[in-house]
Amino acid sequence: MTECKMIPFPLASRVGKVRRCAEVLQTANGQSNRDAYWRKTVGHFHEKLTELGLSDVEIRHQIAKFREAVQQEYLQRDYVVRMQGQAPEGGAA
């Protein structure tokens, strides 16, 4: 019998989830709310990946990569907001 290996779609590549998570974290009121949302999100991913049979090492790796993607999205969103107030008005002369 051939042994197969489950290869889930990488969490960091789930762009919609990454963007939504960054949005919620940026707009949440207070650090405790951000922490609670993050714990809930990570807990959900951990549960689903465990059900798929991934090892704890692989789950931690997937969650770490997701965290990096969310941080990058968060920084990008912050940069865009800052630049909107500094962009020159009108057309080129």
Side-chain angles (χ1 to χ4, degrees), residues 6 46-56 58-59:
M6 174 64 71
H46 195 281
E47 181 181 316
K48 293 300 178 186
L49 294 175
T50 299
E51 288 174 7
L52 291 174
L54 270 68
S55 69
D56 280 340
E58 181 60 26
I59 292 170

Side-chain angles (χ1 to χ4, degrees), residues 26-68:
Q26 273 188 319
T27 59
N29 292 325
Q31 187 64 42
S32 62
N33 289 334
R34 286 188 288 275
D35 290 344
Y37 177 77
W38 182 252
R39 282 192 305 274
K40 180 180 174 184
T41 301
V42 168
H44 173 76
F45 285 146
H46 195 281
E47 181 181 316
K48 293 300 178 186
L49 294 175
T50 299
E51 288 174 7
L52 291 174
L54 270 68
S55 69
D56 280 340
V57 170
E58 181 60 26
I59 292 170
R60 284 193 304 271
H61 175 74
Q62 289 291 321
I63 290 172
K65 291 295 187 182
F66 180 77
R67 183 188 69 236
E68 291 172 15

